[in-house]
Amino acid sequence: MACYLLLNGPNLNMLGIREPGVYGSESLAAIEARLTEMAASWGVTLESFQSNHEGALIDRIHEAYGTCDGIVINPGALTHYSYALRDALSAVRIPTVEVHMSNIHKREEFRHVSVTAPVVVGQIAGFGALSYELGLSALHQYVSSLRTEGQSQE
């Protein structure tokens, strides 16, 4: 059975409380539950992990090596400055989709740059909690296409 990892960075444990005008009123637990159901409908296991600590996220990425087929990540503020997180994603070479609830390109200048974007398959931003569903769906289609290509080459 395929396995995907859902990673959430700093302050995302406060979804539903933190700036509801920007991030909505839905909790991270509710988003995780919905995505777990989506993945299960495809026959995929979804593991979720959130941390406010950069090193814990990096450790979890390393642990995914050889066990997870794809990653959906919302790095939070680490998006804009964590070269260590970027390097971890690059090192494991697991297909990854970066998601953001807000449109980071329409916000403060410092949020316009994602240091993780160059090492992920793609980025989805600006659709609120729906960004997660779009990201998981895109990841699943991408991973499935890799499997199909791999089978046709054998």
Side-chain angles (χ1 to χ4, degrees):
M1 178 179 269
C3 171
Y4 299 150
L5 176 62
L6 172 63
L7 286 177
N8 281 283
N11 299 310
L12 291 163
N13 58 307
M14 299 302 289
L15 287 177
I17 298 167
R18 176 185 176 215
E19 298 180 76
V22 174
Y23 301 106
S25 58
E26 190 171 20
S27 70
L28 181 58
I31 293 168
E32 290 172 344
R34 193 170 54 259
L35 294 182
T36 299
E37 287 179 19
M38 275 181 69
S41 75
W42 303 322
V44 174
T45 300
L46 181 70
E47 299 175 10
S48 297
F49 182 78
Q50 186 278 327
S51 181
N52 294 317
H53 305 281
E54 181 180 36
L57 292 164
I58 291 167
D59 288 343
R60 188 61 189 93
I61 291 167
H62 292 173
E63 290 168 14
Y65 181 75
T67 63
C68 290
D69 301 290
I71 298 172
V72 173
I73 186 168
N74 183 341
L78 296 173
T79 301
H80 315 294
Y81 67 87
S82 180
Y83 294 103
L85 189 63
R86 178 200 191 281
D87 289 348
L89 291 169
S90 180
V92 298
R93 296 185 310 199
I94 298 170
T96 301
V97 173
E98 179 180 320
V99 300
H100 298 282
M101 296 176 78
S102 66
N103 183 345
I104 61 174
H105 306 287
K106 288 178 73 174
R107 297 188 63 196
E108 302 93 338
E109 186 73 26
F110 76 90
R111 295 186 196 273
H112 294 186
V113 175
S114 167
V115 300
T116 51
V119 298
V120 301
V121 173
Q123 182 186 73
I124 295 172
F127 295 96
L130 180 60
S131 291
Y132 283 96
E133 293 175 40
L134 295 169
L136 183 60
S137 180
L139 177 69
H140 182 63
Q141 289 179 37
Y142 182 84
V143 170
S144 296
S145 71
L146 290 178
R147 286 200 176 121
T148 302
E149 288 174 15
Q151 290 173 354
S152 67
Q153 294 175 358
E154 292 175 1

